[in-house]
Amino acid sequence: MDQLQELLRQAELKQKSLELEMVFQRNMEFFRQAEPNIYNKYRNYNPTKIKMMLAPEGYINLVNVDLDNSPVFNKDPIDFCQDYVNQYKLLPSRYRVLARTTKALDIESDAHISTMNPLIDFINSKELTNIIVPLEKETQFMLVMGIGLGHHINQLLEITDIKHLCIIEPHEDIFYAALHTLDWHKLYEHFDREYTTFNLIVGQTPSACYEQIRIYLNQIGLFNAARPNVFDHLSSPEMKATTSMFFEKLPTLIGAMGYFDDEQISLSHSVANYRNNTPILRSHALLTNSYSDKPAFVIANGPSLDKAKDFLLANRDKAIIFSCGTALGSLAKLGIKPDFHIEMERTRPVVEWIETSTTQEFRKDIILLGLNTIHPDTFALFNTIGMGMKSNDLGTHFICQYIGEEQFVINMALSNPTVGNTGMAFAAALGFSNIYIFGMDFGFPAEGKHHSELSKHYDIEDKHQEDLHLYKHDAEGNILLDGNFGNKIVSTSIYSHARLAVETLLSQNKKINCYNTSEGVLIRGSKPIRYEDIDLSNVHKFDKKPYARSLFNNNFNMKGLKKIHSNDEVVAKFSPVLDLFSQFRKIFTDDAKSREEAFMMLTKHHHIAIEAGKDKIKQYAYSLIKGSVHSFNFVLAKSLYNGSNQKEGVEIFNQGKQHYLDFMDHAEQKILHELLKTDARSRNLAEKIKPENNLH
């Protein structure tokens, strides 16, 4: 009897093997045409960690080779997946994306903020967070973490129509198994419909997965992920890291969209600065492989700067000093003159900050390095000036057409969202391989203080403090991040974005040794070090003024760049905006009758905008409005999930879209009459400073 059972088992195993091989061959033939990289990877693949095995009960299971072939599923994987899908249907995992209003000066003059803030207030007032919504008949976006044997994919598709599906499988062995069990041709065919997409990511690191998701969401429209569903299957450390990174960086994706008025100011300031013959950064250490042996101190104005005062005073002649933003005034109080001052904020109140916190004599020998977006009046405060062209920016995009065929400028990637990021970007470009960070806290490490106690912020009379629109340590939506010296630090989504930008910059500039003295957020890739532990005994004092000047002269110039002859040639490039607005209005004039119809409106809106971005004639017009187009799309998509049911969500959407129509009306007037107008807002700081702290 035992021999007969063994023969039957062998026959069953042979039959299963034949079935699996047939499925594998069909999938490989499909991928040979559809995804050649997958075909080439797996046609002769041999798994080493995870393998398929026939269980005694007669089903195919996965086993972990390193754990003595222990089974991955504790029962038939089909039943296991069905049980999980049934549970998920009742209580799906979703990520809640917060929508927050923006604080700004003179909001009424901003087409975007003046209409977006009321929209956000409206939809937030309609949001119900205590309602559990089961998986619906249609799911706009789902992120599936793990393919396993693929059974859950078909089971999910049976109960919900997923419009945009992204599957991530970091384990190549597991994907190899799924090539034997899932009909991939059929899955791809399912999404071969209009307005549906499928994205497969296999064998990638968490950071590479995030990058591919970012590209994918930008293609389909980030609005589709306004309420992302996440299905975790066969969780692993790699899966958890990928999921954490996605949700950690999702607010960054949203925040990085920008908006119309910001782009308009960028354009006007960039054109003015270019016409003023401001020298442009034309070189980078990554290109020249030329690095400085001098230390660089990049100094931001965070609270932990206070404890570094004595160290900075004692070592100011041993390093090239970069002051970032309002840190200039703090250093002026200490009597420390930086070699380079860094600015990135585009609004005119920056001029007021500099004028009220420093004297003309103090600024005399300081070299100002700013992004192309900063106000022309900011550049006018310094004798020696240079600008870096900000990446993903309309002003940069527009100016690039005036670069000669054999000329180039440096695209200043990772130079925002804070001026500390800009300082790091310039220090990296100029070739400093030993960078020491001071006051770059990216959070509130010291009793909730927002800046160094030396900062001009504390010289403002108390009754005007609220007008500064500063981040607060106890604000709703703040997050906790790992601290540079342990513990947790209260931070914000913007500061988290800033930290990630520095981490990326350090990973791309391998020759930089970065030492972080700040008592704020941990910056991966930098070495935490107390300022008292920094040993500069082998570094000699040097004549910094000619050294800084030489660096500037070697890296900044205006050679080979063409002239902008008139305002008319600039304005003509943006006239297609008016036609785009006309098309957008037609989409949103009528009310949607269902969530599906509303998403179709948003999808058509997205497609028209994206196609404009690909058109040589319309590309500048698209760059001007893209931030607002995608932002309104996202917030309107979020509104569809508010209220107590779909019908209420659609009503909220229909009311909310009026704010977008109002935005277009306002923006159109600014394009027609104020396209090249520089920022004229004011904080009237000189009138708000405590009398005992006024320089004049």
Side-chain angles (χ1 to χ4, degrees):
M1 182 63 69
D2 291 343
Q3 186 176 9
L4 179 59
Q5 288 181 343
E6 181 60 26
L7 287 172
L8 289 172
R9 178 172 173 76
Q10 290 298 324
E12 184 182 13
L13 181 59
K14 186 174 182 180
Q15 180 62 30
K16 286 284 186 182
S17 297
L18 287 172
E19 292 172 2
L20 295 172
E21 183 61 24
M22 287 176 63
V23 174
F24 177 75
Q25 291 302 332
R26 285 200 304 270
N27 281 326
M28 292 304 288
E29 182 58 29
F30 165 70
F31 280 120
R32 187 169 67 85
Q33 301 292 332
E35 303 274 3
N37 58 322
I38 291 179
Y39 172 78
N40 292 328
K41 172 74 177 177
Y42 286 100
R43 60 179 177 172
N44 295 311
Y45 187 83
N46 290 308
T48 57
K49 301 290 186 181
I50 304 291
K51 295 186 177 182
M52 290 182 293
M53 185 173 288
L54 182 64
E57 295 82 0
Y59 56 78
I60 297 297
N61 202 343
L62 295 175
V63 295
N64 193 319
V65 175
D66 290 341
L67 297 178
D68 197 25
N69 285 338
S70 61
V72 171
F73 297 97
N74 59 9
K75 60 181 178 180
D76 188 332
I78 296 176
D79 296 335
F80 177 93
C81 291
Q82 190 64 66
D83 289 346
Y84 189 23
V85 167
N86 291 341
Q87 294 174 27
Y88 186 85
K89 179 181 179 181
L90 298 175
L91 190 62
S93 297
R94 297 189 178 106
Y95 183 78
R96 178 173 173 248
V97 180
L98 298 175
R100 296 193 185 93
T101 55
T102 301
K103 295 179 179 179
L105 287 172
D106 192 15
I107 286 177
E108 292 74 18
S109 68
D110 269 27
H112 179 96
I113 298 176
S114 67
T115 50
M116 177 61 84
N117 277 359
L119 172 59
I120 290 174
D121 285 336
F122 171 64
I123 70 165
N124 283 347
S125 71
K126 303 293 184 179
E127 185 173 26
L128 303 175
T129 58
N130 59 344
I131 296 178
I132 298 174
V133 181
L135 196 63
E136 296 165 306
K137 291 181 179 180
E138 290 185 355
T139 300
Q140 200 65 25
F141 175 79
M142 183 175 288
L143 183 64
V144 173
M145 308 297 292
I147 192 62
L149 292 174
H151 304 304
H152 56 295
I153 304 299
N154 291 328
Q155 292 165 353
L156 284 167
L157 292 174
E158 287 176 2
I159 59 175
T160 184
D161 181 13
I162 304 172
K163 300 298 184 183
H164 303 281
L165 174 64
C166 180
I167 298 176
I168 296 176
E169 180 49 75
H171 299 282
E172 294 178 339
D173 284 0
I174 293 179
F175 183 74
Y176 176 72
L179 288 172
H180 296 77
T181 55
L182 181 63
D183 188 340
W184 287 94
H185 185 194
K186 184 178 179 181
L187 181 61
Y188 273 72
E189 201 172 50
H190 177 84
F191 288 93
D192 189 19
R193 297 172 290 152
E194 194 173 25
Y195 306 123
T196 63
T197 63
F198 173 58
N199 189 37
L200 177 64
I201 303 172
V202 179
Q204 301 292 325
T205 63
S207 58
C209 284
Y210 166 77
E211 184 60 21
Q212 291 195 34
I213 297 172
R214 183 190 68 79
I215 294 171
Y216 173 57
L217 288 178
N218 283 334
Q219 288 172 344
I220 67 172
L222 194 57
F223 69 92
N224 285 298
R227 190 186 68 171
N229 284 58
V230 182
F231 188 96
D232 282 315
H233 183 65
L234 300 182
S235 183
S236 68
E238 293 84 358
M239 291 288 190
K240 290 177 180 177
T242 300
T243 306
S244 297
M245 184 169 292
F246 173 67
F247 289 124
E248 180 183 1
K249 292 189 175 185
L250 184 58
T252 300
L253 282 180
I254 299 165
M257 289 189 286
Y259 61 95
F260 163 77
D261 306 272
D262 230 20
E263 301 296 352
Q264 180 270 316
I265 291 174
S266 163
L267 175 70
S268 63
H269 291 182
S270 298
V271 169
N273 292 329
Y274 186 86
R275 281 176 158 173
N276 290 338
N277 293 320
T278 307
I280 299 176
L281 179 66
R282 308 295 292 276
S283 186
H284 196 290
L286 286 176
L287 298 175
T288 63
N289 201 33
S290 177
Y291 290 88
S292 172
D293 60 353
K294 307 298 184 186
F297 293 169
V298 178
I299 304 175
N301 206 21
S304 67
L305 175 61
D306 298 336
K307 295 183 179 180
K309 291 183 290 189
D310 293 340
F311 174 86
L312 293 173
L313 283 166
N315 293 279
R316 57 184 164 176
D317 296 324
K318 291 186 174 184
I320 294 295
I321 296 176
F322 293 78
S323 64
C324 300
T326 55
L328 180 66
S330 298
L331 293 178
K333 285 185 178 180
L334 291 175
I336 297 175
K337 180 176 287 193
D339 305 287
F340 294 101
H341 177 57
I342 309 297
E343 286 292 352
M344 60 86 71
E345 293 290 349
R346 59 192 71 193
T347 55
R348 199 182 184 285
V350 171
V351 176
E352 299 176 48
W353 278 105
I354 296 173
E355 287 181 328
T356 55
S357 62
T358 64
T359 63
Q360 186 175 354
E361 179 62 26
F362 178 78
R363 300 190 299 269
K364 183 178 178 181
D365 299 323
I366 300 172
I367 299 172
L368 171 64
L369 303 181
L371 298 181
N372 54 292
T373 55
I374 73 172
H375 202 289
D377 291 352
T378 304
F379 276 126
L381 294 174
F382 295 78
N383 295 331
T384 304
I385 58 176
M387 69 178 178
M389 307 304 289
K390 181 184 175 185
S391 63
N392 193 30
D393 172 80
L394 172 58
T396 298
H397 184 201
F398 186 79
I399 294 298
C400 280
Q401 67 186 299
Y402 294 94
I403 300 170
E405 290 182 6
E406 297 182 1
Q407 302 291 328
F408 65 90
V409 298
I410 297 301
N411 197 326
M412 290 284 286
L414 306 168
S415 57
N416 64 308
T418 72
V419 70
N421 295 105
T422 316
M424 290 295 292
F426 273 118
L430 295 179
F432 288 96
S433 55
N434 291 293
I435 298 176
Y436 295 83
I437 295 174
F438 298 88
M440 202 176 297
D441 296 330
F442 295 148
F444 309 92
E447 300 173 352
K449 289 200 301 181
H450 46 78
H451 287 86
S452 161
E453 63 184 15
L454 296 164
S455 179
K456 199 70 179 177
H457 293 86
Y458 298 107
D459 294 342
I460 306 297
E461 292 181 328
D462 292 344
K463 63 182 179 180
H464 299 302
Q465 282 287 328
E466 194 66 28
D467 296 337
L468 299 181
H469 300 147
L470 300 170
Y471 296 123
K472 298 179 180 179
H473 74 285
D474 56 354
E476 182 185 2
N478 281 354
I479 55 179
L480 286 177
L481 297 174
D482 291 334
N484 191 40
F485 297 111
N487 299 321
K488 294 288 184 178
I489 302 294
V490 177
S491 187
T492 70
S493 60
I494 295 294
Y495 284 150
S496 178
H497 177 188
R499 174 193 60 135
L500 291 168
V502 175
E503 291 173 352
T504 304
L505 181 139
L506 294 176
S507 70
Q508 292 179 358
N509 294 265
K510 301 293 186 184
K511 292 191 177 181
I512 293 179
N513 300 304
C514 183
Y515 305 91
N516 187 5
T517 73
S518 303
E519 294 186 349
V521 170
L522 174 70
I523 299 174
R524 290 165 291 205
S526 69
K527 178 182 179 182
I529 188 170
R530 303 282 184 182
Y531 61 88
E532 61 264 27
D533 294 329
I534 299 174
D535 183 8
L536 297 180
S537 59
N538 293 328
V539 179
H540 301 291
K541 295 181 180 181
F542 62 101
D543 193 350
K544 299 201 299 173
K545 187 175 178 180
Y547 190 88
R549 170 67 70 168
S550 176
L551 276 176
F552 177 81
N553 290 339
N554 290 338
N555 290 279
F556 292 83
N557 64 72
M558 286 287 288
K559 296 175 184 175
L561 303 183
K562 304 172 185 177
K563 297 291 184 182
I564 299 176
H565 297 291
S566 69
N567 286 351
D568 289 343
E569 72 176 277
V570 179
V571 173
K573 299 282 188 179
F574 295 91
S575 58
V577 170
L578 306 181
D579 176 61
L580 288 173
F581 278 170
S582 178
Q583 293 181 62
F584 295 161
R585 288 189 183 98
K586 288 179 182 178
I587 293 173
F588 290 103
T589 297
D590 295 331
D591 284 348
K593 297 179 177 60
S594 65
R595 184 191 288 174
E596 183 179 17
E597 191 173 313
F599 266 109
M600 188 59 62
M601 294 164 72
L602 297 175
T603 299
K604 290 179 179 178
H605 181 225
H606 174 77
H607 283 182
I608 292 173
I610 291 297
E611 288 305 309
K614 299 175 183 177
D615 188 315
K616 287 186 178 181
I617 296 176
K618 299 177 181 178
Q619 60 178 320
Y620 297 113
Y622 168 71
S623 293
L624 179 63
I625 62 173
K626 66 177 183 180
S628 290
V629 165
H630 299 315
S631 295
F632 273 99
N633 246 19
F634 187 89
V635 176
L636 288 172
K638 180 175 167 57
S639 74
L640 288 164
Y641 299 109
N642 290 3
S644 59
N645 53 53
Q646 284 199 28
K647 183 179 179 181
E648 285 188 18
V650 173
E651 291 173 357
I652 294 167
F653 170 88
N654 286 330
Q655 294 178 61
K657 64 184 175 64
Q658 182 59 50
H659 293 286
Y660 183 47
L661 295 170
D662 293 342
F663 157 77
M664 286 189 281
D665 291 342
H666 193 164
E668 188 171 286
Q669 292 304 307
K670 292 190 73 170
I671 292 166
L672 290 171
H673 305 294
E674 300 179 0
L675 185 64
L676 292 178
K677 180 181 177 181
T678 58
D679 184 59
R681 286 169 284 191
S682 173
R683 289 190 183 276
N684 298 315
L685 283 180
E687 302 171 9
K688 299 176 180 178
I689 295 173
K690 300 170 185 175
E692 66 271 21
N693 293 308
N694 203 315
L695 290 175
H696 305 292

